[in-house]
Amino acid sequence: MKILQFPLTRIFIGFISGILIHQAILPDCISIAVFLAAGFLCLLAALFYGKKYHYAKLLFGSFVLLCSILIGVSTSVIHKENRNPNHYTNRILDYQRPHQLELVVLEKLKPTAKNQRYIARIKNLDSHRSYGKVLLNIPKKYSVLKLKTGSNLEVTGDVFRNKNTLNPNLFDYGKYLEKQDVYAQVYAKHIIPGNYEWSILSFFSNFRERIIENLEQSSISKEELYILNALILGQQQDISPEVLKDYQYAGAVHVLSVSGLHVGFIMLFLTFLLKPIGNSRNGSLLKLCIIIISLWAFAILTGLSASIVRSATMFSFLSIGIHLRRTVNTYHTLLVSMLLILLFKPSFLFDVGFQLSYLALFFILWLQPVLSGIWEPKGKIASYFWDILTVSFAAQIGTMPLSIYYFHQFPCLFFVTNLLILPLLGIIMAIGVVAILIAVFQKVPLIIAKTIEFLIDVLNAIIHWIASVDIFVIRNISFSTQMLWSSYLVIILLILWIKKPNFSRLVFAFLVVLVLQGIFIFQKTETSNRKELIVFNSRKTTIISERSGADVTIYSCDSILKRLDENILVQSYLVGNFCQITNKRKLQNLMYFKNQKLLVIDSSCIYPKEIKPDVLVIIQSPKLNIQRLLETYKPKLIIVDGSNFKSYVRLWEATCRKEKIPFHNTNEKGFYKI
């Protein structure tokens, strides 16, 4: 691969490795500063002595790699906010009592059933200067406040540190928030609104809200309006779960994320509008400034997501190359844009949208020319659709392993979706941009509003039709980290062999295929030899699983057992452990597992005294005398799940602590595994 021969590629690999190393070992600032200074001194020495001694030239490359790794680590350290003594995580000593906070709203998130949610920045904590981002939960009774980005608030409420996932194989939302420098959630009890704080981000955010308000006053039905907001303004918060699921199953969810497709369209639109300006030196510079300012204004307007930042950076470099009348090396542009973004925001490396966006673009640049060379159609229409098909396949091949790893599903009809919707999407975006420009000043005229509504309705109908072909959506695919890396090795080696067929490349490709198969067989074998019983942390209900190899028996109430296919706790466990449900049973009061006797005490509070259980599982808040129960049974362990009242659990835990009996509360410690 020629890209690996670029010096910038090696620096890039070192820099990425540094960010990953920081996540693994969390080094302190002083150590990194010392190592970085030593690395640069060695690099300068190798550069100085490289002219005299051959070995110094050899060392130069090694020191460049070392310094790039150290820069990656130091960049992550600098951007790690909670290392500062004034960060609120270092100020709060007691999380059990309410705190007074002065906050400024940064971003609006998708609401829950009870709360409006925002990302906010702390300015003062308990009348002391502090800082740091939190996830702010505000009860919906305060929705009349209509908080905007930049709104200052005085909040009294409870602060809770992020919790790790309490069930096996679930997406860890707490870790995800920490990678975005959000370390706690605030649940507001009392709010006093303050002044508005102006900034570039708040200005564009509120400007976007004004556009959305004018669109809402137009004659566009709600569901179509939500899709338009996602397509043009990058706001997906209001799209219903059913519609979003259709887009996922049809392989079209990428169109709802503002990315290269949207920025490319904006750039083409601007280029068309700026044609009257001549290509003189001053005219070309003026066009460049207008295009770059417009691209970044659009990026800020849509919320500066990872994919839009990538697209705006890439197209900015492309515009500069066109202005300088120089051929732009797309691979160099790709690497430089990624390095620049990660220097300012290293946490983007762990953003799914950022990863998928760059992988899709890389494989389009690398693989699409190979696919397009398979057939050269005659005629512009055939060529147009063939290009859509090859671009879709290149992007899908590049992102398929990562998509399966994160989402555990694969839409087989993605190419049909792209062939049908991309031409329509271009028309929707063209009219949508006109509608947005009008909505800056007033509500959209009826003819434009109804045209957009009709086109989006057609788009949704196509998506729903493709998504409803259920047999072509493969769900619940078990896919481990080892399988992810070996899959990419297989794909890369096979493409290298296709581009330049020879025996050695073919051998390497088949060896990696054998490695992938070996990993799969090993993990299946490991699964078949494992036996475990798990008490899940399920709110208001009880779920217990018993696993023997790949076969799982689920114990729960009838309402849960009837809808196990939709239960995310159970399905995540099955997918993560390469197993399937073979039995569904109602909860039993007495269970045996690995020579251990488990007694389940439910709300009926009936338990036979002659049984001597090893483990007690208390569910559904029974009104029991825990002291008498312990004297009767003397169990080795007590487990309480999420179906119990918290006040009861506190009393039981205090008694168990007094009697020195191990106590496991799944609401605090997560699921329990035997």
Side-chain angles (χ1 to χ4, degrees):
M1 294 174 69
K2 288 183 180 179
I3 189 171
L4 293 177
Q5 297 171 7
F6 299 156
L8 184 61
T9 304
R10 298 164 196 174
I11 295 172
F12 169 78
I13 292 171
F15 182 77
I16 297 295
S17 302
I19 296 175
L20 296 173
I21 288 169
H22 172 264
Q23 288 292 316
I25 62 175
L26 296 175
D28 61 271
C29 300
I30 297 173
S31 300
I32 288 302
V34 170
F35 279 112
L36 192 60
F40 273 111
L41 286 174
C42 293
L43 183 65
L44 289 172
L47 182 64
F48 180 76
Y49 288 106
K51 298 174 183 179
K52 299 179 180 180
Y53 305 104
H54 181 68
Y55 71 87
K57 287 184 179 180
L58 297 175
L59 287 174
F60 181 77
S62 302
F63 287 133
V64 167
L65 181 62
L66 175 63
C67 287
S68 61
I69 291 171
L70 291 170
I71 290 171
V73 176
S74 60
T75 301
S76 299
V77 168
I78 291 167
H79 286 85
K80 198 72 173 175
E81 292 186 353
N82 66 340
R83 289 179 177 272
N84 192 302
N86 288 327
H87 194 268
Y88 65 88
T89 54
N90 301 317
R91 293 273 189 174
I92 298 177
L93 302 176
D94 182 9
Y95 284 91
Q96 303 300 317
R97 67 175 183 84
H99 293 273
Q100 293 181 333
L101 307 104
E102 289 183 34
L103 306 162
V104 58
V105 175
L106 300 179
E107 180 185 352
K108 184 179 180 181
L109 301 178
K110 195 179 183 75
T112 61
K114 294 182 179 179
N115 297 306
Q116 297 287 350
R117 300 196 308 155
Y118 303 87
I119 297 294
R121 187 179 71 248
I122 291 177
K123 298 171 70 177
N124 284 295
L125 172 67
D126 296 329
S127 302
H128 293 92
R129 198 73 180 165
S130 187
Y131 84 105
K133 291 192 290 185
V134 293
L135 197 158
L136 176 62
N137 296 272
I138 297 180
K140 287 192 172 178
K141 66 180 181 180
Y142 288 106
S143 58
V144 292
L145 294 176
K146 292 185 179 180
L147 298 177
K148 296 182 177 181
T149 302
S151 298
N152 279 281
L153 301 171
E154 290 184 19
V155 172
T156 303
D158 297 320
V159 182
F160 296 98
R161 288 295 299 264
N162 295 336
K163 287 184 178 180
N164 292 331
T165 179
L166 298 175
N167 286 293
N169 307 108
L170 271 183
F171 171 68
D172 198 328
Y173 189 58
K175 283 188 178 178
Y176 167 78
L177 286 176
E178 286 189 7
K179 286 173 182 175
Q180 313 305 314
D181 289 321
V182 178
Y183 297 92
Q185 296 195 41
V186 176
Y187 287 84
K189 294 180 178 178
H190 182 67
I191 300 172
I192 301 174
N195 298 326
Y196 172 77
E197 185 176 299
W198 190 93
S199 69
I200 292 290
L201 292 177
S202 63
F203 170 78
F204 274 97
S205 177
N206 295 324
F207 183 61
R208 180 179 66 234
E209 290 300 317
R210 189 174 75 181
I211 292 172
I212 292 173
E213 285 175 7
N214 284 336
L215 288 171
E216 287 172 346
Q217 293 171 10
S218 307
S219 302
I220 305 175
S221 60
K222 281 190 174 181
E223 200 56 65
E224 283 72 25
L225 175 62
Y226 297 154
I227 296 294
L228 179 64
N229 288 341
L231 289 175
I232 309 295
L233 297 173
Q235 304 304 298
Q236 301 181 27
Q237 298 98 323
D238 299 315
I239 299 177
S240 68
E242 293 76 18
V243 173
L244 197 58
K245 189 179 287 185
D246 280 347
Y247 276 79
Q248 290 171 345
Y249 288 172
V253 74
H254 61 280
V255 305
L256 298 177
S257 301
V258 178
S259 59
L261 177 70
H262 306 74
V263 176
F265 180 83
I266 296 292
M267 186 170 171
L268 288 173
F269 186 67
L270 288 170
T271 304
F272 173 76
L273 290 179
L274 297 174
K275 265 190 176 181
I277 300 176
N279 286 324
S280 63
R281 185 176 179 180
N282 291 334
S284 179
L285 182 61
L286 177 62
K287 285 198 285 187
L288 173 67
C289 293
I290 292 172
I291 287 172
I292 290 179
I293 290 170
S294 301
L295 290 181
W296 282 101
F298 177 70
I300 297 171
L301 182 68
T302 54
L304 286 176
S305 66
S307 55
I308 191 68
V309 170
R310 189 272 302 167
S311 304
T313 306
M314 288 283 295
F315 279 101
S316 296
F317 279 117
L318 180 62
S319 301
I320 292 168
I322 292 170
H323 168 70
L324 297 174
R325 294 178 175 85
R326 293 181 181 178
T327 304
V328 179
N329 186 307
T330 48
Y331 293 116
H332 270 149
T333 307
L334 195 75
L335 291 176
V336 170
S337 66
M338 195 170 182
L339 272 172
L340 280 175
I341 292 168
L342 293 176
L343 274 169
F344 289 97
K345 189 81 171 177
S347 62
F348 268 171
L349 182 63
F350 306 99
D351 186 280
V352 180
F354 184 83
Q355 295 169 6
L356 291 174
S357 178
Y358 267 101
L359 275 172
L361 184 57
F362 173 74
F363 275 89
I364 288 170
L365 295 173
W366 188 42
L367 181 58
Q368 194 271 340
V370 178
L371 296 176
S372 63
I374 296 172
W375 177 52
E376 294 183 5
K378 295 179 181 178
K380 289 185 177 180
I381 296 176
S383 295
Y384 173 73
F385 283 103
W386 177 241
D387 286 341
I388 291 176
L389 198 63
T390 54
V391 167
S392 299
F393 267 98
Q396 200 69 48
I397 288 169
T399 57
M400 180 176 62
L402 197 64
S403 297
I404 294 173
Y405 177 73
Y406 282 123
F407 308 116
H408 303 289
Q409 63 184 28
F410 182 71
C412 298
L413 294 179
F414 67 89
F415 61 95
V416 177
T417 303
N418 287 330
L419 282 173
L420 292 177
I421 70 167
L422 285 182
L424 179 61
L425 196 63
I427 300 171
I428 291 172
M429 288 185 65
I431 301 174
V433 168
V434 174
I436 295 297
L437 292 174
I438 294 171
V440 171
F441 307 102
Q442 60 181 32
K443 68 178 185 179
V444 180
L446 184 65
I447 186 168
I448 296 177
K450 287 300 175 185
T451 303
I452 289 175
E453 184 181 318
F454 171 73
L455 291 172
I456 293 178
D457 194 44
V458 172
L459 176 69
N460 286 345
I462 293 170
I463 295 292
H464 179 71
W465 172 66
I466 296 171
S468 62
V469 187
D470 202 60
I471 194 172
F472 288 106
V473 182
I474 305 171
R475 301 186 186 91
N476 299 329
I477 305 170
S478 298
F479 207 70
S480 65
T481 306
Q482 295 86 350
M483 293 173 70
L484 171 69
W485 289 108
S486 53
S487 295
Y488 272 113
L489 272 176
V490 169
I491 291 170
I492 290 168
L493 289 172
L494 283 175
I495 294 171
L496 287 173
W497 175 74
I498 291 168
K499 289 171 78 76
K500 190 177 179 181
N502 60 47
F503 181 72
S504 60
R505 291 189 176 191
L506 185 62
V507 169
F508 277 118
F510 273 108
L511 283 174
V512 178
V513 170
L514 290 174
V515 169
L516 176 60
Q517 291 177 333
I519 290 170
F520 180 75
I521 292 168
F522 172 77
Q523 291 180 336
K524 289 289 284 184
T525 305
E526 190 182 32
T527 296
S528 64
N529 295 329
R530 186 177 297 174
K531 292 184 178 182
E532 61 188 22
L533 183 139
I534 288 182
V535 180
F536 289 87
N537 181 63
S538 180
R539 193 180 175 198
K540 296 183 180 180
T541 60
T542 297
I543 301 174
I544 299 175
S545 72
E546 184 181 346
R547 174 181 164 196
S548 179
D551 300 328
V552 175
T553 301
I554 300 293
Y555 298 90
S556 191
C557 59
D558 287 335
S559 60
I560 296 294
L561 294 176
K562 287 176 183 176
R563 304 182 65 182
L564 283 179
D565 290 342
E566 301 171 14
N567 191 295
I568 190 170
L569 302 184
V570 175
Q571 292 303 321
S572 297
Y573 174 70
L574 297 175
V575 170
N577 291 278
F578 296 83
C579 49
Q580 68 281 328
I581 297 172
T582 53
N583 286 299
K584 303 175 186 178
R585 294 180 183 173
K586 288 189 69 174
L587 275 169
Q588 302 173 6
N589 288 103
L590 190 61
M591 303 173 67
Y592 292 89
F593 184 78
K594 284 191 173 182
N595 300 319
Q596 294 193 65
K597 192 186 296 182
L598 286 80
L599 179 63
V600 178
I601 301 177
D602 57 22
S603 57
S604 65
C605 206
I606 298 172
Y607 52 92
K609 294 182 179 180
E610 65 275 7
I611 295 176
K612 299 298 180 184
D614 299 294
V615 178
L616 277 178
V617 181
I618 303 176
I619 65 173
Q620 299 169 8
S621 305
K623 295 179 180 179
L624 51 81
N625 186 321
I626 190 71
Q627 185 70 48
R628 188 185 305 158
L629 183 71
L630 296 180
E631 290 173 357
T632 303
Y633 286 145
K634 299 191 186 319
K636 297 176 183 177
L637 171 69
I638 289 183
I639 303 170
V640 298
D641 71 354
S643 65
N644 295 286
F645 296 142
K646 291 182 180 179
S647 56
Y648 285 17
V649 173
R650 283 194 293 268
L651 290 172
W652 298 337
E653 186 174 11
T655 306
C656 287
R657 193 183 299 116
K658 182 181 176 182
E659 298 294 328
K660 297 182 180 179
I661 291 177
F663 187 89
H664 186 95
N665 178 9
T666 63
N667 261 331
E668 293 181 355
K669 300 177 181 179
F671 68 97
Y672 190 85
K673 178 165 68 173
I674 301 175

